[in-house]
Coordinates of all heavy atoms in Angstrom, one line a residue:
V1 N 5.4 -1.1 -0.1 CA 4.1 -1.5 -0.6 C 3.9 -3.0 -0.5 O 2.9 -3.5 0.0 CB 3.8 -1.0 -2.0 CG1 2.6 -1.6 -2.7 CG2 3.6 0.6 -2.0
M2 N 4.9 -3.7 -1.0 CA 4.9 -5.2 -1.0 C 4.9 -5.7 0.4 O 4.2 -6.7 0.7 CB 6.0 -5.8 -1.9 CG 5.7 -5.4 -3.3 SD 7.0 -5.9 -4.5 CE 6.9 -7.7 -4.4
L3 N 5.6 -5.1 1.3 CA 5.6 -5.6 2.7 C 4.2 -5.3 3.3 O 3.7 -6.2 4.1 CB 6.7 -4.9 3.5 CG 8.1 -5.4 3.2 CD1 9.2 -4.5 3.9 CD2 8.3 -6.8 3.5
A4 N 3.6 -4.2 3.0 CA 2.3 -3.9 3.5 C 1.3 -4.9 3.0 O 0.4 -5.4 3.7 CB 1.9 -2.5 3.1
V5 N 1.4 -5.3 1.7 CA 0.5 -6.3 1.1 C 0.7 -7.6 1.9 O -0.3 -8.3 2.2 CB 0.8 -6.5 -0.4 CG1 0.1 -7.7 -0.9 CG2 0.4 -5.2 -1.1
L6 N 1.9 -8.0 2.2 CA 2.2 -9.2 2.9 C 1.5 -9.2 4.3 O 0.9 -10.1 4.8 CB 3.7 -9.5 3.1 CG 4.3 -10.1 1.9 CD1 5.9 -10.1 2.1 CD2 3.9 -11.6 1.7
R7 N 1.7 -8.1 5.0 CA 1.2 -7.9 6.4 C -0.4 -7.9 6.4 O -1.0 -8.5 7.3 CB 1.6 -6.6 7.0 CG 3.1 -6.6 7.4 CD 3.4 -5.4 8.2 NE 4.7 -5.5 8.8 CZ 5.0 -6.2 9.9 NH1 4.0 -6.8 10.5 NH2 6.2 -6.3 10.4
L8 N -1.0 -7.3 5.4 CA -2.4 -7.2 5.4 C -3.1 -8.5 4.9 O -4.3 -8.7 5.3 CB -2.9 -6.0 4.5 CG -2.5 -4.6 5.0 CD1 -2.6 -3.6 3.9 CD2 -3.4 -4.3 6.2
G9 N -2.5 -9.2 4.0 CA -3.1 -10.4 3.5 C -4.1 -10.0 2.4 O -4.5 -8.9 2.3
E10 N -4.4 -10.9 1.5 CA -5.2 -10.6 0.3 C -6.6 -10.2 0.6 O -7.2 -9.5 -0.2 CB -5.1 -11.7 -0.8 CG -5.5 -13.1 -0.3 CD -5.2 -14.0 -1.5 OE1 -4.1 -14.4 -1.8 OE2 -6.3 -14.5 -2.0
S11 N -7.1 -10.5 1.7 CA -8.5 -10.1 2.0 C -8.6 -8.6 2.5 O -9.7 -8.0 2.6 CB -9.1 -11.0 3.1 OG -8.5 -10.8 4.3
E12 N -7.4 -8.0 2.8 CA -7.4 -6.6 3.4 C -6.5 -5.7 2.6 O -6.4 -4.5 3.0 CB -7.0 -6.6 4.8 CG -8.0 -7.3 5.7 CD -9.4 -6.6 5.7 OE1 -9.4 -5.3 5.7 OE2 -10.4 -7.2 5.8
A13 N -5.7 -6.2 1.6 CA -4.8 -5.4 0.9 C -5.4 -4.7 -0.3 O -5.7 -5.3 -1.3 CB -3.6 -6.2 0.5
Y14 N -5.6 -3.4 -0.1 CA -6.1 -2.5 -1.2 C -5.4 -1.1 -0.9 O -4.8 -0.9 0.1 CB -7.6 -2.4 -1.2 CG -8.3 -2.0 0.1 CD1 -8.6 -0.7 0.3 CD2 -8.6 -3.0 1.0 CE1 -9.2 -0.3 1.5 CE2 -9.2 -2.6 2.2 CZ -9.5 -1.3 2.5 OH -10.1 -0.9 3.6
A15 N -5.5 -0.2 -1.9 CA -4.7 1.0 -1.8 C -4.8 1.8 -0.5 O -3.8 2.2 0.1 CB -5.0 1.9 -3.0
V16 N -6.0 2.0 0.0 CA -6.1 2.8 1.2 C -5.5 2.1 2.4 O -4.8 2.7 3.2 CB -7.6 3.1 1.4 CG1 -7.8 3.8 2.8 CG2 -8.2 4.0 0.3
S17 N -5.8 0.8 2.5 CA -5.2 0.1 3.7 C -3.7 -0.1 3.6 O -3.0 0.0 4.6 CB -5.9 -1.3 3.8 OG -5.5 -2.2 2.7
I18 N -3.2 -0.2 2.4 CA -1.7 -0.2 2.1 C -1.1 1.1 2.6 O -0.1 1.1 3.3 CB -1.4 -0.6 0.7 CG1 -1.8 -2.0 0.4 CG2 0.1 -0.3 0.4 CD1 -1.8 -2.4 -1.1
A19 N -1.7 2.2 2.2 CA -1.1 3.5 2.5 C -1.2 3.7 4.1 O -0.2 4.2 4.7 CB -1.9 4.6 1.8
E20 N -2.3 3.3 4.7 CA -2.4 3.4 6.1 C -1.4 2.5 6.9 O -0.8 2.9 7.9 CB -3.8 3.0 6.6 CG -4.9 4.0 6.2 CD -6.3 3.6 6.5 OE1 -6.5 2.4 7.0 OE2 -7.2 4.4 6.2
E21 N -1.2 1.3 6.4 CA -0.2 0.4 7.0 C 1.2 1.0 6.9 O 2.0 0.9 7.9 CB -0.2 -1.0 6.3 CG 0.7 -2.0 6.8 CD 0.2 -2.6 8.2 OE1 -1.0 -2.4 8.5 OE2 1.0 -3.3 8.8
I22 N 1.6 1.6 5.8 CA 2.9 2.2 5.7 C 3.0 3.4 6.6 O 4.0 3.5 7.3 CB 3.1 2.6 4.2 CG1 3.3 1.4 3.3 CG2 4.4 3.5 4.1 CD1 3.3 1.7 1.8
R23 N 2.0 4.2 6.7 CA 2.0 5.3 7.6 C 2.1 4.9 9.1 O 3.0 5.4 9.8 CB 0.8 6.2 7.4 CG 0.8 7.5 8.3 CD -0.5 8.3 8.2 NE -1.7 7.5 8.3 CZ -2.2 7.0 9.5 NH1 -1.5 7.2 10.6 NH2 -3.3 6.3 9.5
E24 N 1.3 3.9 9.4 CA 1.4 3.5 10.8 C 2.7 2.9 11.2 O 3.2 3.0 12.4 CB 0.2 2.4 11.1 CG -1.1 3.0 11.1 CD -2.2 2.0 11.2 OE1 -1.9 0.8 11.4 OE2 -3.4 2.4 11.0
R25 N 3.3 2.1 10.3 CA 4.5 1.4 10.7 C 5.8 2.2 10.5 O 6.8 1.9 11.1 CB 4.6 0.1 9.9 CG 3.6 -0.9 10.3 CD 3.8 -2.3 9.8 NE 2.9 -3.2 10.5 CZ 3.2 -3.8 11.6 NH1 4.3 -3.7 12.2 NH2 2.3 -4.7 12.1
T26 N 5.8 3.2 9.5 CA 7.0 3.9 9.2 C 6.9 5.4 9.5 O 7.9 6.1 9.6 CB 7.4 3.8 7.7 OG1 6.4 4.5 6.9 CG2 7.4 2.4 7.3
G27 N 5.7 5.9 9.7 CA 5.5 7.4 9.9 C 5.6 8.1 8.6 O 5.4 9.3 8.6
R28 N 5.7 7.4 7.5 CA 5.8 8.0 6.2 C 4.4 8.1 5.6 O 3.7 7.1 5.5 CB 6.7 7.2 5.3 CG 6.8 7.8 3.9 CD 7.7 6.9 3.0 NE 7.7 7.4 1.6 CZ 8.5 6.9 0.7 NH1 9.4 5.9 1.0 NH2 8.4 7.3 -0.5
S29 N 4.0 9.3 5.2 CA 2.7 9.5 4.6 C 2.8 9.2 3.1 O 3.6 9.8 2.4 CB 2.1 10.9 4.9 OG 0.9 11.0 4.3
V30 N 2.0 8.3 2.6 CA 2.0 8.0 1.1 C 0.6 8.3 0.6 O -0.4 7.8 1.1 CB 2.4 6.5 0.9 CG1 2.4 6.2 -0.6 CG2 3.7 6.2 1.6
R31 N 0.5 9.0 -0.5 CA -0.7 9.3 -1.2 C -1.3 8.0 -1.8 O -0.5 7.2 -2.3 CB -0.6 10.4 -2.2 CG -0.1 11.7 -1.5 CD 0.3 12.7 -2.6 NE -0.9 12.9 -3.5 CZ -1.4 14.1 -3.8 NH1 -0.8 15.2 -3.3 NH2 -2.4 14.3 -4.6
R32 N -2.6 7.9 -1.8 CA -3.3 6.8 -2.5 C -2.8 6.7 -4.0 O -2.6 5.6 -4.5 CB -4.8 6.9 -2.4 CG -5.3 6.4 -1.1 CD -6.8 6.4 -1.1 NE -7.2 7.8 -1.2 CZ -8.5 8.2 -1.5 NH1 -9.4 7.4 -1.7 NH2 -8.7 9.5 -1.5
A33 N -2.8 7.9 -4.6 CA -2.4 7.9 -6.0 C -1.0 7.3 -6.2 O -0.8 6.5 -7.2 CB -2.4 9.3 -6.6
T34 N -0.1 7.5 -5.3 CA 1.2 7.0 -5.4 C 1.2 5.5 -5.2 O 1.9 4.7 -5.9 CB 2.1 7.6 -4.3 OG1 2.1 9.0 -4.5 CG2 3.6 7.1 -4.4
V35 N 0.3 5.0 -4.3 CA 0.2 3.5 -4.1 C -0.4 2.9 -5.4 O 0.1 1.9 -5.8 CB -0.7 3.2 -2.9 CG1 -1.0 1.7 -2.8 CG2 0.0 3.7 -1.6
Y36 N -1.4 3.5 -6.0 CA -2.0 3.0 -7.2 C -0.9 2.9 -8.3 O -0.9 1.8 -9.0 CB -3.1 3.9 -7.7 CG -4.4 3.8 -6.9 CD1 -5.0 5.0 -6.4 CD2 -5.1 2.6 -6.7 CE1 -6.2 4.9 -5.7 CE2 -6.2 2.6 -6.0 CZ -6.8 3.7 -5.5 OH -7.9 3.7 -4.8
V37 N -0.1 3.9 -8.5 CA 0.9 3.9 -9.5 C 1.9 2.8 -9.2 O 2.3 2.0 -10.1 CB 1.6 5.3 -9.7 CG1 2.8 5.2 -10.6 CG2 0.6 6.3 -10.2
T38 N 2.3 2.7 -8.0 CA 3.3 1.7 -7.6 C 2.7 0.3 -7.8 O 3.4 -0.6 -8.4 CB 3.7 1.8 -6.1 OG1 4.3 3.2 -6.0 CG2 4.7 0.8 -5.7
L39 N 1.5 0.0 -7.5 CA 0.8 -1.3 -7.7 C 0.7 -1.6 -9.2 O 0.9 -2.7 -9.6 CB -0.6 -1.3 -7.0 CG -0.5 -1.4 -5.5 CD1 -1.9 -1.1 -4.9 CD2 0.0 -2.7 -5.0
Q40 N 0.4 -0.6 -10.0 CA 0.3 -0.8 -11.4 C 1.7 -1.3 -12.0 O 1.8 -2.2 -12.8 CB -0.1 0.4 -12.2 CG -1.6 0.7 -12.0 CD -2.0 2.0 -12.7 OE1 -1.2 2.9 -12.9 NE2 -3.2 2.0 -13.2
R41 N 2.7 -0.6 -11.5 CA 4.1 -0.9 -12.0 C 4.4 -2.4 -11.5 O 5.0 -3.2 -12.3 CB 5.1 0.1 -11.4 CG 6.5 -0.1 -11.9 CD 7.4 1.1 -11.6 NE 7.5 1.3 -10.1 CZ 7.0 2.4 -9.6 NH1 6.4 3.4 -10.3 NH2 7.1 2.6 -8.2
L42 N 4.1 -2.7 -10.3 CA 4.4 -4.0 -9.8 C 3.6 -5.1 -10.5 O 4.1 -6.2 -10.7 CB 4.2 -4.1 -8.3 CG 5.1 -3.3 -7.4 CD1 4.7 -3.2 -6.0 CD2 6.6 -3.9 -7.5
E43 N 2.4 -4.8 -10.8 CA 1.5 -5.7 -11.6 C 2.1 -5.9 -13.0 O 2.1 -7.1 -13.5 CB 0.1 -5.2 -11.6 CG -0.9 -6.3 -12.0 CD -2.3 -6.1 -11.7 OE1 -2.7 -4.9 -11.3 OE2 -3.1 -7.0 -11.7
Q44 N 2.6 -4.9 -13.6 CA 3.2 -5.0 -14.9 C 4.4 -5.9 -14.9 O 4.7 -6.6 -15.8 CB 3.5 -3.7 -15.5 CG 2.3 -2.9 -15.9 CD 2.6 -1.4 -16.3 OE1 3.8 -1.0 -16.1 NE2 1.6 -0.7 -16.8

């Protein structure tokens, strides 16, 4: 998630784009809800 945020930059990094970036680069499908929970944990 953090690497996707770095790649996207702050003008494009939001849950949907983060999940898409991870899927495109790794082939791993990540649910938006999982990204939201991870971002909340990282923000805390």
Side-chain angles (χ1 to χ4, degrees):
V1 166
M2 291 175 68
L3 290 172
V5 169
L6 279 170
R7 287 187 168 282
L8 292 164
E10 55 185 71
S11 65
E12 293 297 322
Y14 54 96
V16 173
S17 66
I18 291 168
E20 289 173 0
E21 183 74 11
I22 292 170
R23 183 185 47 76
E24 288 174 11
R25 292 194 171 269
T26 69
R28 178 178 175 177
S29 183
V30 181
R31 296 170 60 127
R32 278 184 295 167
T34 303
V35 174
Y36 286 125
V37 169
T38 302
L39 288 170
Q40 285 178 331
R41 187 171 55 246
L42 292 169
E43 193 160 14
Q44 288 170 352

